[in-house]
Amino acid sequence: LLPTHPSIAADPRLRQACRRITHNIAALTAHVADEQATAQIETGPSIASMLESGGTPGTPRYGRITDRVLRHLQRLDESVVGLARPLGVPVPTPKR
């Protein structure tokens, strides 16, 4: 079980990952409700890359607990984006 840890919510990586996942779920929902919806899936650096780089430069690391949560969010993010194509929701081409 994930122990209660007050600093988890303070980690900006979690807010960033959850914001993107929430946006993408809303885009899928909008498209299912209305095929003419213009919402698009948001892509960007993988959540896993946040683990490797330690997040935004100058921000503190929050430890193993937050890293575990980010790994689970990575799987959720991949699953949500994976639903876009079969549902016909536009997915932008990654920028190089």
Side-chain angles (χ1 to χ4, degrees), residues 29-95:
T29 303
H31 189 76
V32 168
D34 177 7
E35 290 184 14
Q36 303 303 317
T38 59
Q40 287 191 359
I41 293 296
E42 180 181 314
T43 60
S46 73
I47 295 169
S49 70
M50 295 179 198
L51 289 168
E52 296 165 6
S53 67
T56 307
T59 58
R61 291 279 315 213
Y62 291 91
R64 294 176 312 161
I65 296 168
T66 305
D67 289 352
R68 284 174 47 199
V69 172
L70 283 167
R71 282 188 199 96
H72 288 289
L73 289 174
Q74 172 66 32
R75 289 185 205 110
L76 179 59
D77 184 52
E78 291 169 352
S79 296
V80 170
V81 172
L83 287 171
R85 281 198 173 78
L87 293 174
V89 180
V91 178
T93 305
K95 297 173 185 163

